[in-house]
Amino acid sequence: MIQFLLNQELRSEHALDPNLTVLNYLREHLGKSGTKEGCASGDCGACTVVVGELHTDAQGAEQIRYRSLNSCLTFVSSLHGKQLISVEDLKHQGQLHSVQQAMVECHGSQCGFCTPGFVMSLFALQKNSDAPDSQKAHEALAGNLCRCTGYRPILAAAEQACCNKPADQFDSRQAETIARLKAIAPTQTAELNSGDKRCLVPLTVADLADLYDAYPQARLLAGGTDLALEVTQFHRTLPVMIYVGNIEEMKRIESFDDRLEIGAATALSDCYSALHHEYPDFGELLHRFASLQIRNQGTLGGNIGNASPIGDSPPLLIALGAQIVLCKGETRRTLALEDYFIDYRVTARQDSEFIEKIIVPKGHTLFRAYKVSKRLDDDISAVCAAFNLKLDNGVISQARIAFGGMAATPKRAKSCEAMLVGATWNAATVEKACAALAEDFTPLSDFRASKEYRLLSAQNLLRKYFIELQTPHIETRVTAYV
């Protein structure tokens, strides 16, 4: 059985189909049709809901952390121990919530289909903001699409909603909600079982290892932003899932003198602060990783584990020399991330083995990363590049260069690196290294880019890297090319 709060109503579910998304649970089981289905793939934001979780802040105080999510990609099992808020929950005692009122007064709704999703993103923004902030507003709304092109009044509504924000019913009930969430906090492995399908929800790494050993055919569910597409887009059935999002051990970020250790179930939005502090380019790329809703769900381990050739984090991690810790039963092994990827969607992971954490070395001062995509926000890379050199008196002593979107896996440019190591760091060396990229990669053409465009972009990004290191005052990193 799983338990969660539907606003303030306690819900206990045990026989639901584990393949059921929160979107369909709201619409089909509860009759709450305010949450809309636009794309069923996490692109449009019409299905946005907000999930509240217990969170201990830096001062040790217990709070509720509110996050916007795409309900079309969220399985009901992931709600265990949390609070679900949909657009129907905002109006209180006959009065519109302040974010709804701001949308009305700023004329932020046109056809109205996308409006509930925008309202929920604005609600999460308001809860997480102390004052109007244009950059945060753009980030919060980047995952919500309006086909009527009404963005300017919606941004005005965001400013109004976050300016002198009034207390609401969620603020007045915060202590009560914290107490209720603590009362339903998971204490043992839970299960959602419809007879022919099941989802298990362990609380520890040891429990996960035991369950995965018992059910090696199970699919691991973290954020679900990729796995859920098998249900919503390809209409497949997932008979057994194991949800790892309640394992606190796998959601930790620990900083040591020489490395970061990031739990594989850590949400990408939680990774931002640590990675941005150490590597600003990594942080900037995370800002362009899909949308905030996706980053609130998607995990660093999941982005590695699905072995997509266009995943944004693996090229950066490979260039930094990152490692992963793989766990199977009581056995652990550490593997260089570049050795994890074997072929298209084929990895070195053994049966019942899972990624427990990612180890990211510190101290690479010449690290830079770039993403080429058709849109600045909420878009998949055509090419993702990461460069990491070490220079000794103008001579390249070490080189790690990795790309995504250029091969069947995220891959190092070994010929390019060989051309660089031992050479003087100058324009002539860079041109030779650019030519060597044609030996490293034979990219494919698809709807995102042609093979010629990809190769030329990769070469130009190496030239860009050279120019930026020569003139560090130029701030043109993590750029989109249209």
Side-chain angles (χ1 to χ4, degrees), residues 70-90:
N70 292 117
S71 62
C72 71
L73 298 180
T74 307
F75 291 120
V76 174
S77 54
S78 67
L79 297 177
H80 188 40
K82 302 170 186 175
Q83 180 188 31
L84 172 63
I85 302 170
S86 69
V87 69
E88 288 88 352
D89 301 319
L90 298 195

Side-chain angles (χ1 to χ4, degrees), residues 9 25 27 30 51 117-118 130 142 223 237 289 315 355 417 481:
E9 177 192 352
Y25 178 70
R27 293 181 63 85
L30 303 180
V51 168
F118 272 102
D130 296 323
T237 297
F289 191 113
I355 302 172
E417 292 174 356
Y481 295 78

